[in-house]
Every structure is written in structure tokens, then in C-alpha cells.
Amino acid sequence: MIPSQQIAIIEAFDAARCAQPRLPAIEIAERLSISEGELQAARLGRDVWTLPLSPSDIAAYLPQLGRVKALTRSRLAVLEQTGDYPELGGGPQTGLLLDPGGLDLRLLYTHWHWACLIRDPMPDTSVEEAQWRWSLQIFNQHGCAVHKCFALENPLPRPWGALAALGTRDTPAFTQSMPRLKRPLPEAPTLASEWGAMRDAHQFFALLQRHHLERIEANQLMEGRYTRSLPVQALETALQYASLRALPLMLFVASPGCVQIRTGKLPTPQRARGWLNLFGEQFTLHLNDTAIDQVWQVSKPNRDGGVTSIEAFDAEGSLVLQLYAERQEGRVERREWRQLLGKLGSQEAVA
């Protein structure tokens, strides 16, 4: 990035935040037609510092950061949760932060390109002395945010200071993201038999890789067998039903390098500015459901009688949100969930 570009980005950022102190960085980046990573990298040395650590080392810091707001977004959904990160597990390629009902994440290190520490002024003009909001943010090679965590404790726990001491001005190199190209639906003659032979839902990822399929392509190929296309409004219906019946669900929101899961009962969905929102005590979900292109019901065999999800996709075929019923390993899927799926099928037939 040449100095003149950096200065222009910083000036535009400052002007936007002055006019709207709570305006998210991603919206400012979109206005400037740059990635969010490029926007934050332009602020290096002022309020942003590169963390020269490996992805697994960055992840190892997360459980030490105290109470945080953890945020992961897909193209059309944003999941925010408050809590403490659990102990890190996993291996060199994948990190596991397992806490069903709390901060529950799967970390895909191969997509982690740049980690940085960010200091933003708190948007509270009633305080004369500047108050800072610290965050740790991770971006992929295209400057798309993988995961963010914002400090909530004051004073900051010591590990935040340890990270700050490591900060550098090293500038990341991002590459342009290419649009997903649609292709004719490929043939996969053995897909159905291999799908039916699954005994664990986690085998699904290997199934997609073997057949070189996108998730939405597999759903289309298996329509009428293991999948069923649903009307787009079925997603809101499912959330409304689960809230009304106190049916605990698992909400999966995935960025390119992180899957964040919220498990539990849902508040009543509320619509604001065109988005569908769930405002819980320890979490919020913001969903731009008006831009969702396809919704699918997907059944996967397992040793306990099978599990079923509702999956929403955008117009490019990217996964936006997944819904499952809360379930413990070794137990059959909840009867209320299957009743809900039956009602969605009835609505489709009426439509």
C-alpha cells in the first residue's frame, strides 16, 4: 500500500467514525471498496499492531483473555457471544474450543493469514478521558474477517498487555478475492450410497472432498433422497417455532476460518432495518434473511438414527447459517425438532 492510499483510507475512516461512532469497520471498508483487512492494515502503527505469532499460538492466547465478546460472521449472518474461551484443544491444523452453551468454536488455521491487535476509542462522549476498546482480530488472505474478540474486562487481563508488547508494524499482503463461478451440476454416481453409509455426521466433510463438491451441490444432487428444498421463509418460521416452544437449537455461523456455535433456547425473533435478529442475554444473531437465496433440509445418517439440519445459502452458494436441534452424543434427535421439520414440509406443500 503506497503512503497516499494509506492516508486516504485513514482520513476516510476517521471521517466515518466521527459521523457515526458505532459504524462497524466492515461497513466503512465496503464504502471504500476495499477489504476489512486492508482497512485495518492502513491503521498500522497508530491503533493497529500485527501479532507475529502462528495461528495455534494466537489461539492459545484466547482462553487467557478473560471475559470477551466473540464474533464470527458469514456473508449474511453475524453471531456475537459474551463469555470466556474454554481450554484450547485440537491439533496443528484445527483448534477446538469446546463449551456447548458457551463459547464453542472450531478454528481452521489454514485460513488464518493475519492477526492483529486493535485499539478503538469507545463511542461514549459522556466520558472526558479517552476510553479504549481493545480487540484481537484475525483475517484470511483476502482480508475477510475470520474471527474477532473484544475485551470486556476493565482493567484488562495481563495477557492483553503481553500481546501488545509483541505487536509490530509488519504489513500483511492480501490477495484479491475471486467471485465463485457457477458450474453445471457435476455427476457423482456413488454419492448416494456413500452418503447412506455414513455413521457420523462429521464424515460429511470427507465425503464432499472425495467428490470435489460444494455443500450446496451435494444438497442439489441428493434432493428427494437425503435433502429437500424449502421455501426461504422456512428459516424464519423455524426460529419463531423454536422460540415459542422453548426448543433448544444449535446455531452454526461460519467464516472462512472459524465456525462459531451457539446452543440453547432462543428469544423471540425481531425484525429491524430489514434484518432478522435474536437478542439473548449472552448472545445476539443478526441475519440478513432477505438476501438468502436457498434453504435446504439435510439429513445425515449416524449411529443414533440420523441428524437433520436446516441450511441457508446466499446467491453465490455460500453457507450462511445452519440450524440443528440441541442433541447429546448417543441420543436420538429430538421429537419436537422432527415435528417442526414436518410442519415446514406441510407449508411447502400448501405453497
Side-chain angles (χ1 to χ4, degrees):
M1 184 182 300
I2 62 176
S4 60
Q5 289 176 318
Q6 183 177 12
I7 292 170
I9 291 171
I10 290 175
E11 289 178 346
F13 176 86
D14 289 344
R17 279 283 169 86
C18 182
Q20 296 177 268
R22 297 183 182 276
L23 187 65
I26 189 172
E27 293 192 23
I28 300 175
E30 288 172 351
R31 292 180 182 182
L32 298 175
S33 299
I34 59 175
S35 71
E36 189 178 358
E38 289 174 296
L39 174 68
Q40 299 296 10
R43 303 170 64 205
L44 274 166
R46 189 179 76 161
D47 292 313
V48 176
W49 297 269
T50 292
L51 295 175
L53 299 171
S54 69
S56 58
D57 286 341
I58 290 289
Y61 264 96
L62 297 179
Q64 307 175 46
L65 297 181
R67 190 165 180 80
V68 299
K69 178 174 75 172
L71 182 153
T72 302
R73 72 166 70 233
S74 63
R75 290 179 184 271
L76 303 177
V78 184
L79 177 59
E80 303 173 3
Q81 293 174 276
T82 58
D84 296 81
Y85 289 104
E87 181 179 352
L88 177 67
Q93 301 297 321
T94 304
L96 301 176
L97 294 163
L98 305 176
D99 184 16
L103 298 187
D104 193 13
L105 300 101
R106 313 293 179 265
L107 313 176
L108 310 175
Y109 297 145
T110 55
H111 295 277
W112 290 28
H113 179 69
W114 182 52
C116 61
L117 201 63
I118 298 179
R119 181 185 70 173
D120 285 309
M122 293 287 285
D124 185 356
T125 55
S126 65
V127 179
E128 292 185 4
E129 185 178 348
Q131 300 289 313
W132 299 104
R133 180 180 66 173
W134 288 86
S135 64
L136 190 164
Q137 303 191 18
I138 299 129
F139 297 86
N140 74 355
Q141 70 271 26
H142 304 308
C144 176
V146 167
H147 183 64
K148 305 177 182 181
C149 71
F150 298 84
L152 295 180
E153 294 185 17
N154 188 16
L156 286 172
R158 287 186 177 180
W160 285 94
L163 284 173
L166 296 172
T168 73
R169 297 190 180 189
D170 293 345
T171 303
F174 296 113
T175 59
Q176 191 70 30
S177 176
M178 299 300 292
R180 297 166 70 107
L181 298 177
K182 291 188 177 182
R183 62 176 181 174
L185 198 59
E187 294 184 4
T190 64
L191 180 62
S193 60
E194 292 179 46
W195 190 308
M198 284 193 293
R199 293 297 174 261
D200 187 317
H202 294 98
Q203 295 173 340
F204 186 67
F205 301 102
L207 180 67
L208 293 179
Q209 290 176 343
R210 284 198 303 274
H211 292 277
H212 307 288
L213 291 172
E214 299 284 348
R215 183 185 292 268
I216 195 168
E217 291 175 332
N219 288 351
Q220 292 166 345
L221 287 168
M222 290 295 98
E223 185 171 11
R225 296 186 182 184
Y226 297 106
T227 68
R228 178 178 62 175
S229 177
L230 297 174
V232 171
Q233 61 269 26
L235 190 61
E236 180 177 4
T237 301
L239 294 173
Q240 293 279 7
Y241 181 96
S243 171
L244 183 64
R245 300 297 179 91
L247 172 61
L249 297 186
M250 302 173 70
L251 311 176
F252 287 67
V253 174
S255 72
C258 177
V259 181
Q260 187 165 333
I261 306 164
R262 193 272 171 179
T263 302
K265 297 177 182 178
L266 305 183
T268 303
Q270 302 178 37
R271 191 166 293 281
R273 299 178 183 177
W275 286 55
L276 193 64
N277 306 280
L278 300 176
F279 296 108
E281 291 185 5
Q282 304 295 329
F283 89 102
T284 59
L285 175 74
H286 306 289
L287 179 65
N288 184 9
D289 62 330
T290 58
I292 288 174
D293 186 63
Q294 297 183 38
V295 175
W296 290 84
Q297 177 182 320
V298 182
S299 298
K300 300 184 183 74
N302 70 1
R303 298 180 184 88
D304 307 315
V307 294
T308 315
S309 61
I310 296 175
E311 302 180 354
F313 296 85
D314 67 14
E316 291 189 13
S318 296
L319 183 63
V320 171
L321 176 69
Q322 278 182 301
L323 306 181
Y324 286 87
E326 181 183 21
R327 188 184 68 88
Q328 294 182 350
E329 200 69 31
R331 294 192 176 183
V332 299
E333 198 166 55
R334 289 174 179 265
R335 178 173 52 84
E336 302 96 326
W337 176 242
R338 294 189 172 180
Q339 288 175 341
L340 166 58
L341 295 172
K343 289 180 181 294
L344 295 178
S346 300
Q347 286 184 350
E348 181 186 19
V350 172

